[in-house]
Amino acid sequence: KNSPESRRHTRSLQIDQFPSRRQAACAVKLAPPVRRQQSSIMKVSALCLFITALGAGAMSGVRRGSRRPVGRDAMLRGGAGTAAAAALGANAGTGNVATLETDVGSIVIELRPEWAPIGVERFKELINVGFYDEARFFRVVPGFIVQFGLSGDPDLNRKYKAANLKDDPVKTSNKKGTLVFATAGPGTRTSQMFINFGDNSFLDRQGFSPIGEVTSGLDVALKLNAEYGEKPNQGRITNQGNAYLKESFPRLSYIKKASLS
């Protein structure tokens, strides 16, 4: 964990926030079809956890220092999501057990507000507005993570692309089965999530704060279709939603319905 390679990787996370250069660097490092060492690929992929979250932000033209959300986006920044959640009505789910009904089975997640209250609040809000319904698991890296959280509805992506959250401090480790927000750096969580497929504790010191853990269906998560790897383009998902994914990546696993109980 404290090897020269690990230290170099940590420094690489400090490169500029414009996605084109960082995405290119990531693509070059992940290009070889044969993985030399799973651990090194996992560490390189951690950089992509930062990059991929930009699909709902900087990839749509938002740049650090110039994010100026308006309307509902502004209302949702930080802890302001409470007001939006309250406006969803009496039928909104309030429990801390989230169920993702996927095309290959159900994944049940216990949300832990004591770990990450801000993140839990946002995740529940997104479930209640139907953000994750029909959403695809667009990034699957066996042995590392599965990522989702760009809506199939471009209108929902536009509403949340700049609705950045204040960070929750890391109170528990990125162990196997934990649910975590992807991020483009400090204070940039919006809607993208990943489930850890292994002990990724090296993510702890990079600020990835788990908000819950899979209590049932981890075997389902491990069966999600990985044939497309990291090929789906997040900018196109953000702008075109499922129309793009169904045409270009028709066999992606997806969430039929997300609910709270």
Side-chain angles (χ1 to χ4, degrees):
K1 294 182 180 179
N2 196 31
S3 66
E5 179 184 6
S6 176
R7 291 195 294 271
R8 285 196 300 273
H9 175 69
T10 300
R11 288 197 296 272
S12 74
L13 296 175
Q14 307 304 317
I15 60 181
D16 69 84
Q17 296 295 307
F18 292 93
S20 56
R21 289 173 57 189
R22 296 194 304 149
Q23 189 175 24
C26 181
V28 169
K29 292 181 181 179
L30 292 178
V34 178
R35 296 175 183 174
R36 296 176 181 176
Q37 290 185 357
Q38 186 179 49
S39 60
S40 62
I41 292 297
M42 288 164 63
K43 291 175 181 178
V44 170
S45 295
L47 171 58
C48 297
L49 288 174
F50 286 88
I51 294 170
T52 52
L54 288 169
M59 287 184 181
S60 299
V62 179
R63 294 290 184 266
R64 184 173 65 174
S66 63
R67 294 181 177 131
R68 299 180 61 186
V70 296
R72 189 178 181 200
D73 286 350
M75 180 180 70
L76 292 172
R77 284 186 70 91
T82 305
L88 295 173
N91 292 328
T94 59
N96 286 322
V97 176
T99 300
L100 307 180
E101 299 174 31
T102 81
D103 60 322
V104 293
S106 293
I107 302 170
V108 180
I109 302 164
E110 181 181 355
L111 303 176
R112 303 293 293 271
E114 68 273 23
W115 290 354
I118 299 172
V120 167
E121 180 183 345
R122 168 59 60 83
F123 187 64
K124 291 168 68 172
E125 175 190 333
L126 291 167
I127 288 177
N128 281 325
V129 300
F131 189 94
Y132 297 119
D133 296 351
E134 297 295 319
R136 270 50 183 171
F137 294 97
F138 59 81
R139 181 176 181 234
V140 184
V141 184
F144 183 41
I145 57 98
V146 59
Q147 190 165 338
F148 64 99
L150 288 174
S151 179
D153 180 350
D155 289 338
L156 282 174
N157 287 329
R158 282 190 287 270
K159 288 179 180 179
Y160 281 88
K161 68 180 180 180
N164 296 341
L165 292 178
K166 179 182 177 182
D167 292 327
D168 287 299
V170 179
K171 293 184 178 179
T172 192
S173 185
N174 281 262
K175 62 185 179 181
K176 185 175 182 178
T178 49
L179 176 71
V180 193
F181 272 90
T183 174
T188 59
R189 297 182 302 172
T190 55
S191 65
Q192 291 198 45
M193 314 297 303
F194 64 92
I195 297 172
N196 282 301
F197 279 168
D199 178 8
N200 296 324
S201 57
F202 68 93
L203 296 175
D204 300 351
R205 62 181 176 273
Q206 298 171 21
F208 292 98
S209 179
I211 71 166
E213 56 188 338
V214 175
T215 56
S216 176
L218 185 57
D219 59 324
V220 173
L222 293 170
K223 291 188 295 186
L224 296 171
N225 188 7
E227 70 173 289
Y228 302 117
E230 305 180 63
K231 294 179 181 178
N233 181 287
Q234 292 186 47
R236 294 189 65 182
I237 303 172
T238 300
N239 294 324
Q240 301 174 34
N242 282 345
Y244 158 64
L245 292 174
K246 288 179 178 180
E247 178 180 359
S248 301
F249 306 96
R251 293 181 297 279
L252 279 175
S253 296
Y254 66 97
I255 300 169
K256 293 181 176 180
K257 177 72 176 177
S259 60
L260 293 169
S261 61

PDB file of all heavy atoms in Angstrom, residues 206-243:
ATOM      1  N   GLN A 206      -8.266   8.521  -0.284  1.00  0.00           N
ATOM      2  CA  GLN A 206      -8.573   9.404  -1.409  1.00  0.00           C
ATOM      3  C   GLN A 206      -9.951  10.055  -1.261  1.00  0.00           C
ATOM      4  O   GLN A 206     -10.392  10.776  -2.156  1.00  0.00           O
ATOM      5  CB  GLN A 206      -8.471   8.624  -2.721  1.00  0.00           C
ATOM      6  CG  GLN A 206      -7.069   8.097  -2.973  1.00  0.00           C
ATOM      7  CD  GLN A 206      -7.004   7.138  -4.149  1.00  0.00           C
ATOM      8  OE1 GLN A 206      -7.881   7.140  -5.005  1.00  0.00           O
ATOM      9  NE2 GLN A 206      -5.962   6.322  -4.194  1.00  0.00           N
ATOM     10  N   GLY A 207     -10.613   9.791  -0.133  1.00  0.00           N
ATOM     11  CA  GLY A 207     -11.855  10.487   0.168  1.00  0.00           C
ATOM     12  C   GLY A 207     -13.133   9.796  -0.245  1.00  0.00           C
ATOM     13  O   GLY A 207     -14.215  10.385  -0.145  1.00  0.00           O
ATOM     14  N   PHE A 208     -13.059   8.533  -0.694  1.00  0.00           N
ATOM     15  CA  PHE A 208     -14.269   7.809  -1.075  1.00  0.00           C
ATOM     16  C   PHE A 208     -14.947   7.274   0.192  1.00  0.00           C
ATOM     17  O   PHE A 208     -14.437   6.375   0.853  1.00  0.00           O
ATOM     18  CB  PHE A 208     -13.926   6.657  -2.017  1.00  0.00           C
ATOM     19  CG  PHE A 208     -13.451   7.113  -3.369  1.00  0.00           C
ATOM     20  CD1 PHE A 208     -12.096   7.187  -3.652  1.00  0.00           C
ATOM     21  CD2 PHE A 208     -14.355   7.478  -4.353  1.00  0.00           C
ATOM     22  CE1 PHE A 208     -11.648   7.607  -4.904  1.00  0.00           C
ATOM     23  CE2 PHE A 208     -13.920   7.896  -5.603  1.00  0.00           C
ATOM     24  CZ  PHE A 208     -12.565   7.963  -5.877  1.00  0.00           C
ATOM     25  N   SER A 209     -16.113   7.828   0.495  1.00  0.00           N
ATOM     26  CA  SER A 209     -16.797   7.514   1.748  1.00  0.00           C
ATOM     27  C   SER A 209     -17.989   6.590   1.505  1.00  0.00           C
ATOM     28  O   SER A 209     -18.996   7.012   0.918  1.00  0.00           O
ATOM     29  CB  SER A 209     -17.287   8.816   2.402  1.00  0.00           C
ATOM     30  OG  SER A 209     -17.982   8.546   3.601  1.00  0.00           O
ATOM     31  N   PRO A 210     -17.933   5.328   1.941  1.00  0.00           N
ATOM     32  CA  PRO A 210     -19.072   4.427   1.767  1.00  0.00           C
ATOM     33  C   PRO A 210     -20.324   4.960   2.456  1.00  0.00           C
ATOM     34  O   PRO A 210     -20.252   5.560   3.534  1.00  0.00           O
ATOM     35  CB  PRO A 210     -18.591   3.127   2.425  1.00  0.00           C
ATOM     36  CG  PRO A 210     -17.092   3.178   2.296  1.00  0.00           C
ATOM     37  CD  PRO A 210     -16.755   4.633   2.507  1.00  0.00           C
ATOM     38  N   ILE A 211     -21.479   4.731   1.819  1.00  0.00           N
ATOM     39  CA  ILE A 211     -22.747   5.160   2.405  1.00  0.00           C
ATOM     40  C   ILE A 211     -23.624   3.978   2.816  1.00  0.00           C
ATOM     41  O   ILE A 211     -24.677   4.168   3.418  1.00  0.00           O
ATOM     42  CB  ILE A 211     -23.539   6.061   1.438  1.00  0.00           C
ATOM     43  CG1 ILE A 211     -24.088   5.258   0.252  1.00  0.00           C
ATOM     44  CG2 ILE A 211     -22.677   7.219   0.941  1.00  0.00           C
ATOM     45  CD1 ILE A 211     -25.150   5.989  -0.546  1.00  0.00           C
ATOM     46  N   GLY A 212     -23.197   2.775   2.504  1.00  0.00           N
ATOM     47  CA  GLY A 212     -23.972   1.593   2.853  1.00  0.00           C
ATOM     48  C   GLY A 212     -23.252   0.342   2.404  1.00  0.00           C
ATOM     49  O   GLY A 212     -22.129   0.405   1.879  1.00  0.00           O
ATOM     50  N   GLU A 213     -23.898  -0.811   2.597  1.00  0.00           N
ATOM     51  CA  GLU A 213     -23.279  -2.070   2.212  1.00  0.00           C
ATOM     52  C   GLU A 213     -24.331  -3.062   1.744  1.00  0.00           C
ATOM     53  O   GLU A 213     -25.473  -3.057   2.228  1.00  0.00           O
ATOM     54  CB  GLU A 213     -22.483  -2.657   3.383  1.00  0.00           C
ATOM     55  CG  GLU A 213     -23.281  -2.871   4.656  1.00  0.00           C
ATOM     56  CD  GLU A 213     -22.403  -3.263   5.832  1.00  0.00           C
ATOM     57  OE1 GLU A 213     -21.297  -3.770   5.600  1.00  0.00           O
ATOM     58  OE2 GLU A 213     -22.840  -3.053   6.978  1.00  0.00           O
ATOM     59  N   VAL A 214     -23.939  -3.892   0.797  1.00  0.00           N
ATOM     60  CA  VAL A 214     -24.836  -4.914   0.266  1.00  0.00           C
ATOM     61  C   VAL A 214     -25.042  -5.985   1.332  1.00  0.00           C
ATOM     62  O   VAL A 214     -24.082  -6.543   1.853  1.00  0.00           O
ATOM     63  CB  VAL A 214     -24.262  -5.540  -1.021  1.00  0.00           C
ATOM     64  CG1 VAL A 214     -25.143  -6.695  -1.497  1.00  0.00           C
ATOM     65  CG2 VAL A 214     -24.116  -4.483  -2.108  1.00  0.00           C
ATOM     66  N   THR A 215     -26.301  -6.250   1.661  1.00  0.00           N
ATOM     67  CA  THR A 215     -26.618  -7.291   2.643  1.00  0.00           C
ATOM     68  C   THR A 215     -27.181  -8.545   1.989  1.00  0.00           C
ATOM     69  O   THR A 215     -27.222  -9.603   2.600  1.00  0.00           O
ATOM     70  CB  THR A 215     -27.629  -6.772   3.679  1.00  0.00           C
ATOM     71  OG1 THR A 215     -28.804  -6.296   3.001  1.00  0.00           O
ATOM     72  CG2 THR A 215     -27.024  -5.635   4.506  1.00  0.00           C
ATOM     73  N   SER A 216     -27.622  -8.419   0.752  1.00  0.00           N
ATOM     74  CA  SER A 216     -28.143  -9.558   0.002  1.00  0.00           C
ATOM     75  C   SER A 216     -27.974  -9.254  -1.484  1.00  0.00           C
ATOM     76  O   SER A 216     -28.229  -8.134  -1.928  1.00  0.00           O
ATOM     77  CB  SER A 216     -29.620  -9.793   0.323  1.00  0.00           C
ATOM     78  OG  SER A 216     -30.172 -10.832  -0.468  1.00  0.00           O
ATOM     79  N   GLY A 217     -27.538 -10.258  -2.240  1.00  0.00           N
ATOM     80  CA  GLY A 217     -27.428 -10.076  -3.675  1.00  0.00           C
ATOM     81  C   GLY A 217     -26.065  -9.653  -4.160  1.00  0.00           C
ATOM     82  O   GLY A 217     -25.940  -9.231  -5.319  1.00  0.00           O
ATOM     83  N   LEU A 218     -25.038  -9.778  -3.327  1.00  0.00           N
ATOM     84  CA  LEU A 218     -23.697  -9.463  -3.825  1.00  0.00           C
ATOM     85  C   LEU A 218     -23.324 -10.412  -4.960  1.00  0.00           C
ATOM     86  O   LEU A 218     -22.637 -10.030  -5.906  1.00  0.00           O
ATOM     87  CB  LEU A 218     -22.667  -9.544  -2.696  1.00  0.00           C
ATOM     88  CG  LEU A 218     -21.236  -9.112  -3.069  1.00  0.00           C
ATOM     89  CD1 LEU A 218     -21.211  -7.682  -3.603  1.00  0.00           C
ATOM     90  CD2 LEU A 218     -20.301  -9.243  -1.870  1.00  0.00           C
ATOM     91  N   ASP A 219     -23.830 -11.656  -4.875  1.00  0.00           N
ATOM     92  CA  ASP A 219     -23.601 -12.608  -5.960  1.00  0.00           C
ATOM     93  C   ASP A 219     -24.250 -12.128  -7.254  1.00  0.00           C
ATOM     94  O   ASP A 219     -23.728 -12.365  -8.349  1.00  0.00           O
ATOM     95  CB  ASP A 219     -24.132 -13.988  -5.580  1.00  0.00           C
ATOM     96  CG  ASP A 219     -25.620 -13.987  -5.267  1.00  0.00           C
ATOM     97  OD1 ASP A 219     -26.118 -12.996  -4.696  1.00  0.00           O
ATOM     98  OD2 ASP A 219     -26.311 -14.983  -5.583  1.00  0.00           O
ATOM     99  N   VAL A 220     -25.373 -11.417  -7.131  1.00  0.00           N
ATOM    100  CA  VAL A 220     -26.027 -10.836  -8.299  1.00  0.00           C
ATOM    101  C   VAL A 220     -25.140  -9.739  -8.899  1.00  0.00           C
ATOM    102  O   VAL A 220     -24.935  -9.682 -10.113  1.00  0.00           O
ATOM    103  CB  VAL A 220     -27.413 -10.269  -7.932  1.00  0.00           C
ATOM    104  CG1 VAL A 220     -28.021  -9.512  -9.107  1.00  0.00           C
ATOM    105  CG2 VAL A 220     -28.340 -11.386  -7.467  1.00  0.00           C
ATOM    106  N   ALA A 221     -24.617  -8.869  -8.038  1.00  0.00           N
ATOM    107  CA  ALA A 221     -23.745  -7.795  -8.510  1.00  0.00           C
ATOM    108  C   ALA A 221     -22.538  -8.355  -9.251  1.00  0.00           C
ATOM    109  O   ALA A 221     -22.113  -7.814 -10.283  1.00  0.00           O
ATOM    110  CB  ALA A 221     -23.290  -6.931  -7.334  1.00  0.00           C
ATOM    111  N   LEU A 222     -22.003  -9.452  -8.752  1.00  0.00           N
ATOM    112  CA  LEU A 222     -20.827 -10.049  -9.370  1.00  0.00           C
ATOM    113  C   LEU A 222     -21.143 -10.697 -10.720  1.00  0.00           C
ATOM    114  O   LEU A 222     -20.232 -10.989 -11.498  1.00  0.00           O
ATOM    115  CB  LEU A 222     -20.205 -11.083  -8.431  1.00  0.00           C
ATOM    116  CG  LEU A 222     -19.596 -10.519  -7.141  1.00  0.00           C
ATOM    117  CD1 LEU A 222     -19.232 -11.646  -6.175  1.00  0.00           C
ATOM    118  CD2 LEU A 222     -18.373  -9.674  -7.451  1.00  0.00           C
ATOM    119  N   LYS A 223     -22.447 -10.907 -10.997  1.00  0.00           N
ATOM    120  CA  LYS A 223     -22.864 -11.497 -12.272  1.00  0.00           C
ATOM    121  C   LYS A 223     -23.252 -10.454 -13.306  1.00  0.00           C
ATOM    122  O   LYS A 223     -23.609 -10.804 -14.440  1.00  0.00           O
ATOM    123  CB  LYS A 223     -24.040 -12.454 -12.044  1.00  0.00           C
ATOM    124  CG  LYS A 223     -23.688 -13.726 -11.294  1.00  0.00           C
ATOM    125  CD  LYS A 223     -24.836 -14.707 -11.274  1.00  0.00           C
ATOM    126  CE  LYS A 223     -26.033 -14.204 -10.507  1.00  0.00           C
ATOM    127  NZ  LYS A 223     -27.099 -15.226 -10.375  1.00  0.00           N
ATOM    128  N   LEU A 224     -23.219  -9.173 -12.950  1.00  0.00           N
ATOM    129  CA  LEU A 224     -23.586  -8.130 -13.906  1.00  0.00           C
ATOM    130  C   LEU A 224     -22.671  -8.187 -15.127  1.00  0.00           C
ATOM    131  O   LEU A 224     -21.471  -8.441 -15.001  1.00  0.00           O
ATOM    132  CB  LEU A 224     -23.512  -6.759 -13.235  1.00  0.00           C
ATOM    133  CG  LEU A 224     -24.504  -6.543 -12.080  1.00  0.00           C
ATOM    134  CD1 LEU A 224     -24.185  -5.244 -11.345  1.00  0.00           C
ATOM    135  CD2 LEU A 224     -25.950  -6.526 -12.585  1.00  0.00           C
ATOM    136  N   ASN A 225     -23.232  -7.943 -16.293  1.00  0.00           N
ATOM    137  CA  ASN A 225     -22.510  -8.113 -17.550  1.00  0.00           C
ATOM    138  C   ASN A 225     -21.281  -7.212 -17.633  1.00  0.00           C
ATOM    139  O   ASN A 225     -21.384  -5.986 -17.563  1.00  0.00           O
ATOM    140  CB  ASN A 225     -23.441  -7.822 -18.723  1.00  0.00           C
ATOM    141  CG  ASN A 225     -22.801  -8.171 -20.059  1.00  0.00           C
ATOM    142  OD1 ASN A 225     -21.724  -8.751 -20.120  1.00  0.00           O
ATOM    143  ND2 ASN A 225     -23.469  -7.809 -21.138  1.00  0.00           N
ATOM    144  N   ALA A 226     -20.134  -7.841 -17.779  1.00  0.00           N
ATOM    145  CA  ALA A 226     -18.861  -7.100 -17.843  1.00  0.00           C
ATOM    146  C   ALA A 226     -18.265  -7.078 -19.241  1.00  0.00           C
ATOM    147  O   ALA A 226     -17.127  -6.630 -19.409  1.00  0.00           O
ATOM    148  CB  ALA A 226     -17.864  -7.714 -16.860  1.00  0.00           C
ATOM    149  N   GLU A 227     -19.015  -7.512 -20.250  1.00  0.00           N
ATOM    150  CA  GLU A 227     -18.415  -7.659 -21.578  1.00  0.00           C
ATOM    151  C   GLU A 227     -17.963  -6.339 -22.195  1.00  0.00           C
ATOM    152  O   GLU A 227     -17.051  -6.305 -23.025  1.00  0.00           O
ATOM    153  CB  GLU A 227     -19.383  -8.363 -22.534  1.00  0.00           C
ATOM    154  CG  GLU A 227     -20.591  -7.551 -22.938  1.00  0.00           C
ATOM    155  CD  GLU A 227     -21.403  -8.250 -24.024  1.00  0.00           C
ATOM    156  OE1 GLU A 227     -20.915  -8.315 -25.176  1.00  0.00           O
ATOM    157  OE2 GLU A 227     -22.515  -8.704 -23.717  1.00  0.00           O
ATOM    158  N   TYR A 228     -18.606  -5.230 -21.794  1.00  0.00           N
ATOM    159  CA  TYR A 228     -18.248  -3.944 -22.385  1.00  0.00           C
ATOM    160  C   TYR A 228     -17.208  -3.182 -21.580  1.00  0.00           C
ATOM    161  O   TYR A 228     -16.743  -2.125 -22.014  1.00  0.00           O
ATOM    162  CB  TYR A 228     -19.492  -3.072 -22.541  1.00  0.00           C
ATOM    163  CG  TYR A 228     -20.577  -3.689 -23.393  1.00  0.00           C
ATOM    164  CD1 TYR A 228     -21.821  -3.998 -22.847  1.00  0.00           C
ATOM    165  CD2 TYR A 228     -20.361  -3.958 -24.740  1.00  0.00           C
ATOM    166  CE1 TYR A 228     -22.824  -4.556 -23.628  1.00  0.00           C
ATOM    167  CE2 TYR A 228     -21.362  -4.520 -25.531  1.00  0.00           C
ATOM    168  CZ  TYR A 228     -22.590  -4.820 -24.965  1.00  0.00           C
ATOM    169  OH  TYR A 228     -23.589  -5.374 -25.735  1.00  0.00           O
ATOM    170  N   GLY A 229     -16.859  -3.712 -20.409  1.00  0.00           N
ATOM    171  CA  GLY A 229     -15.811  -3.081 -19.603  1.00  0.00           C
ATOM    172  C   GLY A 229     -16.081  -1.622 -19.313  1.00  0.00           C
ATOM    173  O   GLY A 229     -17.056  -1.279 -18.648  1.00  0.00           O
ATOM    174  N   GLU A 230     -15.220  -0.754 -19.846  1.00  0.00           N
ATOM    175  CA  GLU A 230     -15.325   0.683 -19.614  1.00  0.00           C
ATOM    176  C   GLU A 230     -15.550   1.456 -20.918  1.00  0.00           C
ATOM    177  O   GLU A 230     -15.239   2.635 -21.019  1.00  0.00           O
ATOM    178  CB  GLU A 230     -14.059   1.176 -18.911  1.00  0.00           C
ATOM    179  CG  GLU A 230     -13.773   0.410 -17.628  1.00  0.00           C
ATOM    180  CD  GLU A 230     -12.516   0.877 -16.922  1.00  0.00           C
ATOM    181  OE1 GLU A 230     -12.485   2.045 -16.502  1.00  0.00           O
ATOM    182  OE2 GLU A 230     -11.576   0.079 -16.808  1.00  0.00           O
ATOM    183  N   LYS A 231     -16.119   0.768 -21.914  1.00  0.00           N
ATOM    184  CA  LYS A 231     -16.283   1.371 -23.229  1.00  0.00           C
ATOM    185  C   LYS A 231     -17.371   2.444 -23.329  1.00  0.00           C
ATOM    186  O   LYS A 231     -17.213   3.402 -24.090  1.00  0.00           O
ATOM    187  CB  LYS A 231     -16.541   0.281 -24.271  1.00  0.00           C
ATOM    188  CG  LYS A 231     -15.359  -0.650 -24.498  1.00  0.00           C
ATOM    189  CD  LYS A 231     -15.704  -1.718 -25.526  1.00  0.00           C
ATOM    190  CE  LYS A 231     -14.540  -2.674 -25.742  1.00  0.00           C
ATOM    191  NZ  LYS A 231     -14.883  -3.747 -26.704  1.00  0.00           N
ATOM    192  N   PRO A 232     -18.505   2.328 -22.630  1.00  0.00           N
ATOM    193  CA  PRO A 232     -19.550   3.350 -22.788  1.00  0.00           C
ATOM    194  C   PRO A 232     -19.028   4.754 -22.496  1.00  0.00           C
ATOM    195  O   PRO A 232     -18.317   4.976 -21.516  1.00  0.00           O
ATOM    196  CB  PRO A 232     -20.607   2.920 -21.775  1.00  0.00           C
ATOM    197  CG  PRO A 232     -20.459   1.430 -21.705  1.00  0.00           C
ATOM    198  CD  PRO A 232     -18.976   1.200 -21.783  1.00  0.00           C
ATOM    199  N   ASN A 233     -19.381   5.687 -23.345  1.00  0.00           N
ATOM    200  CA  ASN A 233     -18.938   7.073 -23.228  1.00  0.00           C
ATOM    201  C   ASN A 233     -19.898   7.837 -22.325  1.00  0.00           C
ATOM    202  O   ASN A 233     -21.087   7.978 -22.630  1.00  0.00           O
ATOM    203  CB  ASN A 233     -18.895   7.717 -24.610  1.00  0.00           C
ATOM    204  CG  ASN A 233     -18.428   9.152 -24.575  1.00  0.00           C
ATOM    205  OD1 ASN A 233     -19.155  10.039 -24.143  1.00  0.00           O
ATOM    206  ND2 ASN A 233     -17.216   9.391 -25.048  1.00  0.00           N
ATOM    207  N   GLN A 234     -19.370   8.351 -21.220  1.00  0.00           N
ATOM    208  CA  GLN A 234     -20.265   8.970 -20.242  1.00  0.00           C
ATOM    209  C   GLN A 234     -20.859  10.288 -20.697  1.00  0.00           C
ATOM    210  O   GLN A 234     -21.962  10.648 -20.296  1.00  0.00           O
ATOM    211  CB  GLN A 234     -19.525   9.136 -18.914  1.00  0.00           C
ATOM    212  CG  GLN A 234     -19.245   7.789 -18.290  1.00  0.00           C
ATOM    213  CD  GLN A 234     -18.659   7.927 -16.928  1.00  0.00           C
ATOM    214  OE1 GLN A 234     -19.164   8.687 -16.122  1.00  0.00           O
ATOM    215  NE2 GLN A 234     -17.600   7.202 -16.665  1.00  0.00           N
ATOM    216  N   GLY A 235     -20.140  11.011 -21.539  1.00  0.00           N
ATOM    217  CA  GLY A 235     -20.708  12.228 -22.081  1.00  0.00           C
ATOM    218  C   GLY A 235     -21.947  11.930 -22.914  1.00  0.00           C
ATOM    219  O   GLY A 235     -22.963  12.632 -22.830  1.00  0.00           O
ATOM    220  N   ARG A 236     -21.883  10.867 -23.695  1.00  0.00           N
ATOM    221  CA  ARG A 236     -23.030  10.496 -24.521  1.00  0.00           C
ATOM    222  C   ARG A 236     -24.168   9.928 -23.675  1.00  0.00           C
ATOM    223  O   ARG A 236     -25.345  10.156 -23.983  1.00  0.00           O
ATOM    224  CB  ARG A 236     -22.613   9.501 -25.606  1.00  0.00           C
ATOM    225  CG  ARG A 236     -21.654  10.100 -26.633  1.00  0.00           C
ATOM    226  CD  ARG A 236     -21.430   9.168 -27.803  1.00  0.00           C
ATOM    227  NE  ARG A 236     -22.660   8.973 -28.568  1.00  0.00           N
ATOM    228  CZ  ARG A 236     -22.744   8.167 -29.634  1.00  0.00           C
ATOM    229  NH1 ARG A 236     -21.660   7.499 -30.041  1.00  0.00           N
ATOM    230  NH2 ARG A 236     -23.884   8.028 -30.278  1.00  0.00           N
ATOM    231  N   ILE A 237     -23.836   9.196 -22.611  1.00  0.00           N
ATOM    232  CA  ILE A 237     -24.905   8.728 -21.708  1.00  0.00           C
ATOM    233  C   ILE A 237     -25.615   9.920 -21.092  1.00  0.00           C
ATOM    234  O   ILE A 237     -26.848   9.978 -21.027  1.00  0.00           O
ATOM    235  CB  ILE A 237     -24.336   7.831 -20.586  1.00  0.00           C
ATOM    236  CG1 ILE A 237     -23.573   6.639 -21.147  1.00  0.00           C
ATOM    237  CG2 ILE A 237     -25.469   7.339 -19.690  1.00  0.00           C
ATOM    238  CD1 ILE A 237     -22.833   5.833 -20.095  1.00  0.00           C
ATOM    239  N   THR A 238     -24.832  10.895 -20.630  1.00  0.00           N
ATOM    240  CA  THR A 238     -25.412  12.077 -20.007  1.00  0.00           C
ATOM    241  C   THR A 238     -26.369  12.794 -20.960  1.00  0.00           C
ATOM    242  O   THR A 238     -27.470  13.182 -20.576  1.00  0.00           O
ATOM    243  CB  THR A 238     -24.297  13.053 -19.571  1.00  0.00           C
ATOM    244  OG1 THR A 238     -23.448  12.393 -18.626  1.00  0.00           O
ATOM    245  CG2 THR A 238     -24.876  14.303 -18.938  1.00  0.00           C
ATOM    246  N   ASN A 239     -25.954  12.936 -22.208  1.00  0.00           N
ATOM    247  CA  ASN A 239     -26.719  13.726 -23.169  1.00  0.00           C
ATOM    248  C   ASN A 239     -27.805  12.950 -23.896  1.00  0.00           C
ATOM    249  O   ASN A 239     -28.827  13.526 -24.296  1.00  0.00           O
ATOM    250  CB  ASN A 239     -25.778  14.348 -24.198  1.00  0.00           C
ATOM    251  CG  ASN A 239     -24.837  15.371 -23.580  1.00  0.00           C
ATOM    252  OD1 ASN A 239     -25.215  16.107 -22.672  1.00  0.00           O
ATOM    253  ND2 ASN A 239     -23.600  15.410 -24.058  1.00  0.00           N
ATOM    254  N   GLN A 240     -27.597  11.631 -24.066  1.00  0.00           N
ATOM    255  CA  GLN A 240     -28.534  10.839 -24.858  1.00  0.00           C
ATOM    256  C   GLN A 240     -29.237   9.752 -24.063  1.00  0.00           C
ATOM    257  O   GLN A 240     -30.220   9.174 -24.543  1.00  0.00           O
ATOM    258  CB  GLN A 240     -27.801  10.209 -26.037  1.00  0.00           C
ATOM    259  CG  GLN A 240     -27.133  11.213 -26.963  1.00  0.00           C
ATOM    260  CD  GLN A 240     -26.294  10.534 -28.032  1.00  0.00           C
ATOM    261  OE1 GLN A 240     -26.627   9.453 -28.517  1.00  0.00           O
ATOM    262  NE2 GLN A 240     -25.183  11.156 -28.396  1.00  0.00           N
ATOM    263  N   GLY A 241     -28.740   9.445 -22.867  1.00  0.00           N
ATOM    264  CA  GLY A 241     -29.373   8.446 -22.019  1.00  0.00           C
ATOM    265  C   GLY A 241     -29.392   7.060 -22.630  1.00  0.00           C
ATOM    266  O   GLY A 241     -28.472   6.647 -23.341  1.00  0.00           O
ATOM    267  N   ASN A 242     -30.482   6.339 -22.371  1.00  0.00           N
ATOM    268  CA  ASN A 242     -30.573   4.949 -22.807  1.00  0.00           C
ATOM    269  C   ASN A 242     -30.698   4.793 -24.310  1.00  0.00           C
ATOM    270  O   ASN A 242     -30.459   3.703 -24.845  1.00  0.00           O
ATOM    271  CB  ASN A 242     -31.744   4.255 -22.110  1.00  0.00           C
ATOM    272  CG  ASN A 242     -31.405   3.875 -20.683  1.00  0.00           C
ATOM    273  OD1 ASN A 242     -30.244   3.870 -20.284  1.00  0.00           O
ATOM    274  ND2 ASN A 242     -32.419   3.553 -19.895  1.00  0.00           N
ATOM    275  N   ALA A 243     -31.077   5.837 -25.017  1.00  0.00           N
ATOM    276  CA  ALA A 243     -31.141   5.744 -26.469  1.00  0.00           C
ATOM    277  C   ALA A 243     -29.768   5.366 -27.032  1.00  0.00           C
ATOM    278  O   ALA A 243     -29.646   4.534 -27.939  1.00  0.00           O
ATOM    279  CB  ALA A 243     -31.625   7.059 -27.066  1.00  0.00           C
TER     280      ALA A 243
END
